[in-house]
Amino acid sequence: MRARTHSVLAASVVLALTVGPLAAPAFAAPTASVAAHATDRPSDGLDRKALRAAIDGVPNQHATAALVRVGSTDGGWRGSAGVRDLASGRSAHPHARFRAGSVTKVVTAATVLRLAAEDRIDLDAPAQGYLPDLFTPDFEEPISVRQLLNHTSGIQPGDGLGDDFAEVYAHRFDTLTPQRVAASAIAKGPEFDPGKRQHYLNINYTILGLLIEKVTGRAYAAEATRLVLRPAGMHHTYFPGTDPRIRGPHNRGYQTVEQPDGTVKLVDVTEWNHADRWAAGDMISTMADLERLLTELFEGRIVPQPELEEMFTTPAGVPDAVRSAGLEKKEVGGEIFWGKSGSRYGYSALIGGTRDLSRTLVHSVNATDAKSAEANPVIDAITVAALR
């Protein structure tokens, strides 16, 4: 499948096509309006008019639901719009659980860095030394743990369950283990020498998940929960593994499908076994929990110094490098924002902010083409309004 890209300002990801039974609804009359909450404070510098405008047309052809939290030094804004599901048209649940996609990488990176702070992982040590049974002799150059964290390892992507959406959708309840994904990637040999380029790929974090398990002797989910979720107070976040459901209240996800006659239909993609994404993208979370992750992490209450600096340091000497350990750097209006976006079919999520937390953004958008390479107007409007 095509390589995926992520941005703090727009969750632009790989193009996918779908087939499905639901006709696209008439979006001209949204059944749910924007809900602005009591954190509104007119003196905190937030553009509430623009934030409301960004989501007050949802549901539309770009999204069926949108949840937004924006924070500033003096206050914040929360909004929700859209529907819980197309069949009932009930208002979107503002405290819904959702698939966080590659925001999972923030948790994985923080877990590795916590273990590094405990001297259980050496960031400069070769990954081959931790996982000798995984790597083949083709990987002659040592790949450091840090290079896995910042996507400069040179390891090629692993195999998936298909090369187009129709094929992948047909296998959505099948299980592809992280071990098989990692083995398929290593079998391809290196793409480039470690440290020479930055190529964002899930495989780096799949291998970090295996490394966490090897070092601790415990399951990835257990260690990530112990070292990150629990200290951050993320009590409604979990790793579903092979369970295709989203447990608890949630807004259903849909994907657009263009039919041969030019009409558009939607497929419900809520239930899906994403076990192959694992430490790279299989987390289910909530808005409140992701906001806690962002603030607790940036304030140094999860990863201690000096390991926390890894999350705000891009690799030196690597052309056009914008990714650090778990995060991405973006300059907007002279301000530097650090964050991470992610997507699974039907769901797009993002966390980000300035390092001093003077401006933060968390959103979950039920995008109708969440893995498209094209920009999503709803997501773009939210991020522009929040970070201006």
Side-chain angles (χ1 to χ4, degrees):
M1 300 181 73
R2 300 178 195 176
R4 198 191 321 165
T5 61
H6 294 262
S7 168
V8 170
L9 292 181
S12 302
V13 280
V14 187
L15 181 63
L17 301 174
T18 60
V19 292
L22 296 177
F27 290 119
T31 58
S33 61
V34 173
H37 298 274
T39 50
D40 280 359
R41 295 179 186 174
S43 62
D44 59 16
L46 299 180
D47 190 337
R48 287 168 174 72
K49 182 178 180 180
L51 286 166
R52 291 189 179 96
I55 61 174
D56 66 5
V58 175
N60 57 29
Q61 66 266 40
H62 306 296
T64 56
L67 312 177
V68 182
R69 291 190 178 206
V70 183
S72 72
T73 303
D74 300 317
W77 184 88
R78 298 178 188 177
S80 63
V83 294
R84 195 169 304 190
D85 62 89
L86 294 178
S88 73
R90 294 177 297 167
S91 297
H93 198 303
H95 305 295
R97 281 177 169 169
F98 51 83
R99 300 192 187 279
S102 285
V103 177
T104 308
K105 292 182 177 69
V106 180
V107 171
T108 301
T111 302
V112 171
L113 294 174
R114 280 288 305 271
L115 292 169
E118 296 173 2
D119 293 325
R120 302 180 71 184
I121 290 178
D122 181 349
L123 300 183
D124 294 314
Q128 291 96 321
Y130 289 105
L131 299 166
D133 295 334
L134 173 64
F135 288 89
T136 66
D138 290 333
F139 289 85
E140 297 178 0
E141 295 294 323
I143 298 169
S144 71
V145 176
R146 181 179 285 106
Q147 288 167 338
L148 290 170
L149 284 166
N150 63 30
H151 300 280
T152 59
S153 70
I155 300 172
Q156 297 198 57
D159 293 341
L161 287 170
D163 294 323
D164 57 42
F165 181 80
E167 193 175 359
V168 175
Y169 182 77
H171 292 282
R172 69 192 181 281
F173 298 125
D174 295 347
T175 297
L176 177 59
T177 67
Q179 292 79 6
R180 286 180 56 194
V181 173
S184 69
I186 296 302
K188 298 173 185 177
E191 178 186 9
F192 54 85
D193 289 339
K196 298 300 183 182
R197 291 168 46 195
Q198 189 171 68
H199 187 184
Y200 175 85
L201 289 172
N202 284 332
I203 190 60
N204 292 295
Y205 278 69
T206 300
I207 292 176
L208 285 170
L210 296 175
L211 193 152
I212 290 167
E213 294 195 333
K214 184 66 177 291
V215 167
T216 65
R218 287 162 50 89
Y220 162 78
E223 282 300 280
T225 299
R226 180 180 72 88
L227 293 174
V228 181
L229 302 192
R230 198 171 296 148
M234 299 171 69
H235 302 303
H236 301 286
T237 298
Y238 72 100
F239 303 95
T242 59
D243 186 350
R245 301 166 300 170
I246 298 176
R247 301 199 300 264
H250 57 278
N251 302 318
R252 300 194 71 83
Y254 301 90
Q255 184 75 18
T256 55
V257 185
E258 185 172 352
Q259 302 300 293
D261 62 0
T263 61
V264 174
K265 292 187 177 181
L266 294 174
V267 60
D268 188 323
V269 291
T270 308
E271 279 78 40
W272 199 300
N273 176 354
H274 290 294
D276 61 312
R277 300 303 175 185
W278 198 43
D282 193 31
M283 187 170 72
I284 289 174
S285 192
T286 67
M287 294 290 287
D289 276 10
L290 290 188
E291 192 172 58
R292 290 187 189 99
L293 174 63
L294 180 67
T295 56
E296 296 296 298
L297 184 63
F298 281 30
E299 289 180 352
R301 289 195 285 266
I302 299 176
V303 177
Q305 295 286 357
E307 287 76 19
L308 182 60
E309 288 305 309
E310 297 289 336
M311 303 195 85
F312 300 100
T313 304
T314 56
V318 178
D320 304 316
V322 295
R323 300 183 187 278
S324 61
L327 299 175
E328 177 188 359
K329 180 174 70 172
K330 191 78 173 182
E331 183 174 350
V332 184
E335 289 265 26
I336 299 296
F337 290 87
W338 295 88
K340 188 73 189 77
S341 61
S343 66
R344 302 278 8 111
Y345 294 110
Y347 299 89
S348 294
L350 177 143
I351 66 171
T354 55
R355 185 169 181 181
D356 64 1
L357 298 173
S358 59
R359 183 61 54 88
T360 63
L361 169 62
V362 178
H363 73 56
S364 170
V365 176
N366 289 68
T368 57
D369 199 5
K371 299 183 73 60
S372 172
E374 300 298 322
N376 184 296
V378 174
I379 294 173
D380 284 355
I382 290 168
T383 52
V384 169
L387 304 184
R388 63 173 53 185

